[in-house]
Amino acid sequence: MELRHLRYFVAVAEEGSLTVAAQKRLHTAQPSLSRQIHDLELELGVQLLIRGPRGIDLTAAGRVFLDHARVALLQVEAASEAARRAAQPARTSFAIGFLTGYEMDWLPAVMGILRAELPSTEVVIHSQDSPDLAAGLIRGKIDLAFLRPEKQAPGLKFRLLRKDPLIVLMPRDHALTARNSIRPQDIAGETFISVSPLRAPTAWTAIDDYIKRVGIALKPDHQAENLAMAISLVASTGGVCLLPLYAQNLLPETVVSRPIQGAQPMVDLVIGYNEANTSPLLKFLLSKVDELKFRVSKAE
């Protein structure tokens, strides 16, 4: 088995199509890609993909193998990045990642601490989805990140910052805006916009668990790949969406939010870092986590 087999398999699994993966991700011929996947399945002795008229689905073995393949590829990238860093002079920059939208709450507090203590440090900011932030930490491209506690994240440590409730987003002219808070049964039957289980696995799990707990039937009509897409779909389809509270930071005038009645579903916001990272600045910031939380709570 070669690394290219893992890259090819991950691309096909994530795109859900041999043709799309071949053309957009791998820039290779589709028949060649099919042969590579077939060779991989023969070597493993199991079927990984089910090929159907609507695209590609993963078998149970394929879903398990996908998690391990992603981790293996991340570890190879991390090793390469570590080797490149070792051959270069010590850097004077520090990369901080934010789950898109959270920088509005946490970046001022971080910069306040850094300006006061280490004014000569160049701070690089990344705004991404949580899985991408975790990958950046693993690869050594991000030093510290505000994200979700990702499960497939070898070598990473997480420290809880706070728990955020999920809220209901809807168009400003939606009938439910007449309510101060939304009951679970209120959203049953509405056009429902789901988050992506790949791009927002923690939020997706929290929403799925909540739907099962309250016993409502919600079948997603649309799936949003990121926060901006979710807000856009709410505005354009007239549907509703469940998102963490921080989404309020990015709402246009055409979209409003309401809290959920009763026991609200929650998602964790954590600060994450790679335990192999020996940066003195990382150690310094980790010692200031309590101050960070105080600064943010004071500003709210």
Side-chain angles (χ1 to χ4, degrees):
M1 186 186 306
E2 299 180 16
L3 284 176
R4 60 186 171 86
H5 290 121
L6 299 183
R7 292 193 181 96
Y8 288 174
F9 170 72
V10 169
V12 173
E14 291 182 347
E15 296 296 340
S17 166
L18 284 163
T19 301
V20 174
Q23 294 177 349
K24 294 186 177 181
R25 290 273 294 271
L26 303 172
H27 307 291
T28 188
Q30 191 266 333
S32 175
L33 176 58
S34 296
R35 286 195 299 272
Q36 299 291 338
I37 298 297
H38 180 66
D39 291 344
L40 177 61
E41 290 177 321
L42 285 177
E43 182 171 351
L44 293 174
V46 296
Q47 185 179 7
L48 300 174
L49 304 173
I50 300 174
R51 301 156 180 83
R54 295 185 177 181
I56 296 294
D57 288 320
L58 294 175
T59 64
R63 287 191 294 271
V64 172
F65 188 72
L66 177 60
D67 289 338
H68 289 280
R70 283 172 170 156
V71 170
L73 291 175
L74 284 175
Q75 290 175 328
V76 170
E77 288 193 40
S80 301
E81 184 66 22
R84 285 191 290 268
R85 288 200 310 270
Q88 297 173 352
R91 60 180 182 177
T92 58
S93 63
F94 189 81
I96 305 176
F98 293 90
L99 183 59
T100 301
Y102 274 112
E103 61 270 29
M104 299 179 71
D105 290 334
W106 294 89
L107 181 57
V110 172
M111 295 305 294
I113 291 174
L114 292 181
R115 287 195 187 101
E117 301 293 334
L118 297 165
S120 62
T121 301
E122 177 191 5
V123 178
V124 179
I125 305 300
H126 297 270
S127 179
Q128 297 173 322
D129 292 335
S130 187
D132 289 337
L133 292 173
L137 290 171
I138 293 172
R139 295 180 182 122
K141 295 182 178 180
I142 298 176
D143 294 290
L144 187 74
F146 294 75
L147 72 168
R148 305 292 179 215
E150 298 295 329
K151 294 182 179 179
Q152 297 297 324
L156 299 192
K157 295 290 186 181
F158 302 111
R159 293 173 61 175
L160 181 66
L161 292 173
R162 71 184 188 194
K163 292 181 177 288
D164 287 336
L166 295 184
I167 56 175
V168 182
L169 268 58
M170 66 193 80
R172 180 171 292 277
D173 58 357
H174 197 286
L176 289 178
T177 58
R179 297 182 178 274
N180 292 325
S181 59
I182 305 301
R183 301 170 302 178
Q185 60 267 33
D186 291 335
I187 59 177
E190 296 287 340
T191 298
F192 185 62
I193 296 142
S194 172
V195 299
S196 167
L198 288 177
R199 306 311 310 155
T202 303
W204 186 90
T205 299
I207 294 169
D208 188 58
D209 289 346
Y210 175 71
I211 290 171
K212 292 176 181 176
R213 173 162 57 87
V214 297
I216 59 175
L218 279 181
K219 182 179 180 181
D221 297 283
H222 306 280
Q223 180 174 287
E225 296 298 314
N226 51 55
L227 181 59
M229 183 178 178
I231 295 172
S232 177
L233 284 171
V234 169
S236 61
T237 67
V240 300
C241 184
L242 300 180
L243 288 177
L245 182 64
Y246 81 100
Q248 290 180 330
N249 292 335
L250 302 175
L251 294 186
E253 293 184 358
T254 55
V255 176
V256 299
S257 67
R258 294 289 185 272
I260 298 173
Q261 280 187 23
Q264 298 172 315
M266 309 290 284
V267 289
D268 291 346
L269 174 66
V270 300
I271 194 167
Y273 59 97
N274 193 320
E275 59 183 341
N277 191 331
T278 59
S279 165
L281 184 51
L282 173 62
K283 184 177 180 180
F284 169 76
L285 278 175
L286 290 175
S287 73
K288 297 291 184 178
V289 169
D290 288 340
E291 182 179 342
L292 277 173
K293 292 193 286 188
F294 174 76
R295 285 174 177 246
V296 170
S297 63
K298 187 178 179 181
E300 291 177 341

